[in-house]
Amino acid sequence: MKFNYYNPTRLVFGAGRIKETVDNIPKGVKKVLIHYGSERMRKDGTITTIQAEMKHKGIESILFGGVVANPRLSMVKQGMEIVKRENIDFILAVGGGSVIDSAKAISAGHAYDGEIWDMFIGKAEVPEKGLLPLGVVLSFPATGSEDSTGCVINNEITKEKRSIGSDYLRPVFSILDPNLTLSLPDRQTFAGIVDMFSHILERYMVNDDEYGLMDTMSEGLMRSIIKAAYILKDDSKNLWAREQVMISSTLAHNDILGLGRDEDWASHRIGHELSALYDAIHGETLAIIFPAWMEYVKDINPNRIIRFGKEVFRLGEDTTVEETIKAFREFLKDIGMPLYLKDLNIGETDIEEMAKKCTLYGDVGTFKKLNCTDVENIYRLAL
């Protein structure tokens, strides 16, 4: 096993820690762009309180809201213009993964002289210098972007959803206050849970049968997420479960679980096309695609899928791939997730187009390299 790991993000975790937001902004910062999505964060006083504390400490702030799920390239470009016009020297993302990713893209775009989309389609690398530092106040745990190298953006003109990744995109700090999640609607809560669960699966579904510590950590984290999900199903205000979900979001996607092994990411790529074309909620697309992907690739390494059933869903020693996939779908159904494309009113009309876009730059996945036809078949299994 060989790997390099670098993570400079300071995690400030716990109920009430939002009060420490401004204290974590680096010294010397004079003007902050507060980037957010939901008006809930303004109406409940969260952003107003942060602004007041900034003003008290001599830091000017500019508000830039309106980020939506599947964050838009057009908004990123607006943010880049604001950053340049207002001489912004720090970005504070207040919200969930869409807000954080939008902020990361603004930061990267600020450092790049060309067309920002070049980075997302592989024509340019994320710059190593000139990026604006950013901090996070997390209100919706799901994507893990608060402590990751990744950033995903929708190009609403070309109908593409693409990602970039770089250590230079990691936030300076992230405030993880579970109190901010207590008012989340169930649909957001459980779609977020599927997202973080899927981040673990993308690293766990590998072709070797034993990865030691990384497997054990992955299985334990997935069991913890399941336990917290069932608690929140019955008691959405349970702070202990909210804490478990929030830290799980971070640990699922800060690259710890992928150290020294291949990662797959085919299901994410396939799901992204659904978000790009239909604006479908990311976690819901994964609830549909991941079990269909398992069905399609099960003969490549059935022991790995069976281990998932045994260690995560505590199925018996003689369990099968089919029983594992059934248990997975039952969990998803229990927390209110759609199981098939028909549940989102999506048919087969655009399957060929989505498959072509998904594999536009080559085959996807590592568990089994999937070509355009393979991706089409997975969409059809998911109908």
Side-chain angles (χ1 to χ4, degrees):
M1 180 186 292
K2 294 181 180 180
F3 60 83
N4 294 330
Y5 184 72
Y6 172 72
N7 191 340
T9 304
R10 180 188 305 114
L11 301 178
V12 183
F13 184 91
R17 301 298 297 275
I18 190 173
K19 296 176 182 178
E20 301 171 41
T21 300
V22 180
D23 293 337
N24 281 278
I25 294 176
K27 292 181 180 180
V29 168
K30 296 180 180 179
K31 201 168 188 178
V32 174
L33 180 71
I34 300 179
H35 198 29
Y36 67 98
S38 172
E39 285 299 314
R40 175 176 69 94
M41 304 303 291
R42 289 187 68 181
K43 291 177 180 178
D44 69 6
T46 299
I47 290 175
T48 303
T49 301
I50 292 172
Q51 274 193 299
E53 182 64 17
M54 284 183 182
K55 185 175 181 181
H56 177 71
K57 296 197 173 183
I59 302 173
E60 191 177 349
S61 61
I62 300 291
L63 293 182
F64 181 41
V67 180
V68 296
N70 303 311
R72 309 300 200 254
L73 179 63
S74 58
M75 175 157 273
V76 170
K77 290 183 176 181
Q78 291 177 42
M80 290 165 58
E81 292 173 0
I82 295 172
V83 162
K84 184 176 181 180
R85 182 177 68 244
E86 298 290 342
N87 293 315
I88 300 293
D89 55 1
F90 191 85
I91 303 175
L92 181 67
V94 182
S98 294
V99 174
I100 302 167
D101 283 3
S102 185
K104 287 180 175 181
I106 292 169
S107 171
H110 174 73
Y112 181 61
D113 291 333
E115 165 58 48
I116 183 175
W117 192 244
D118 289 348
M119 287 185 273
F120 289 87
I121 59 175
K123 289 185 177 180
E125 298 290 329
V126 176
E128 297 183 5
K129 298 180 180 179
L131 283 79
L132 280 177
L134 65 95
V136 170
V137 174
L138 183 66
S139 66
F140 175 26
T143 70
S145 194
E146 67 274 6
D147 190 27
S148 80
T149 62
C151 164
V152 185
I153 297 294
N154 265 33
N155 185 328
E156 62 268 55
I157 303 299
T158 64
K159 301 294 185 183
E160 292 178 278
K161 185 173 183 178
R162 296 288 180 260
S163 64
I164 54 176
S166 169
D167 279 329
Y168 300 101
L169 291 173
R170 290 192 189 271
V172 174
F173 68 85
S174 288
I175 305 294
L176 309 179
D177 187 337
N179 282 341
L180 299 181
T181 73
L182 292 173
S183 61
L184 280 174
D186 285 350
R187 188 177 184 184
Q188 281 186 288
T189 295
F190 294 118
I193 282 172
V194 175
D195 193 0
M196 63 187 76
F197 197 90
S198 297
H199 288 159
I200 304 169
L201 283 178
E202 296 284 18
R203 297 171 168 95
Y204 182 78
M205 288 297 167
V206 291
N207 277 321
D208 287 345
D209 288 331
E210 180 58 60
Y211 270 88
L213 177 62
M214 299 308 157
D215 278 342
T216 304
M217 291 171 62
S218 297
E219 291 156 357
L221 189 53
M222 285 189 280
R223 289 195 300 268
S224 293
I225 291 171
I226 291 170
K227 179 178 179 179
Y230 279 114
I231 291 173
L232 290 175
K233 181 183 174 184
D234 295 329
D235 178 11
S236 65
K237 304 292 185 182
N238 188 291
L239 184 59
W240 181 88
R242 291 286 179 184
E243 287 177 335
Q244 301 306 301
V245 167
M246 181 164 264
I247 193 59
S248 294
S249 165
T250 302
L251 293 176
H253 200 39
N254 67 359
D255 293 332
I256 286 288
L257 299 179
L259 294 180
R261 62 178 172 185
D262 290 334
E263 301 176 11
D264 191 74
W265 298 103
S267 296
H268 267 72
R269 292 284 298 276
I270 296 168
H272 281 170
E273 300 306 324
L274 294 166
S275 295
L277 197 59
Y278 297 101
D279 205 23
I281 294 173
H282 180 53
E284 293 185 349
T285 70
L286 292 168
I288 293 167
I289 295 300
F290 233 120
W293 173 86
M294 285 186 185
E295 287 183 18
Y296 191 73
V297 304
K298 61 186 179 183
D299 293 335
I300 300 298
N301 187 350
N303 289 336
R304 173 54 48 165
I305 298 175
I306 289 171
R307 174 170 175 158
F308 171 54
K310 289 179 180 178
E311 300 298 332
V312 176
F313 292 105
R314 298 303 199 192
L315 302 180
E317 284 298 314
D318 59 347
T319 193
T320 65
V321 168
E322 289 73 20
E323 288 170 343
T324 296
I325 296 172
K326 181 181 177 181
F328 187 19
R329 280 202 170 109
E330 286 177 349
F331 164 63
L332 296 170
K333 182 180 179 180
D334 284 346
I335 60 174
M337 288 294 101
L339 300 183
Y340 298 97
L341 291 175
K342 66 180 181 180
D343 298 329
L344 298 182
N345 296 315
I346 297 174
E348 57 184 317
T349 306
D350 300 307
I351 282 179
E352 290 184 12
E353 178 187 351
M354 290 190 295
K356 286 177 182 178
K357 284 187 174 181
C358 182
T359 56
L360 184 62
Y361 304 106
D363 295 349
V364 297
T366 58
F367 190 92
K368 170 180 169 59
K369 289 189 178 297
L370 304 173
N371 59 30
C372 185
T373 300
D374 293 321
V375 174
E376 277 190 46
N377 291 334
I378 291 172
Y379 282 131
R380 295 188 191 283
L381 278 174
L383 285 170

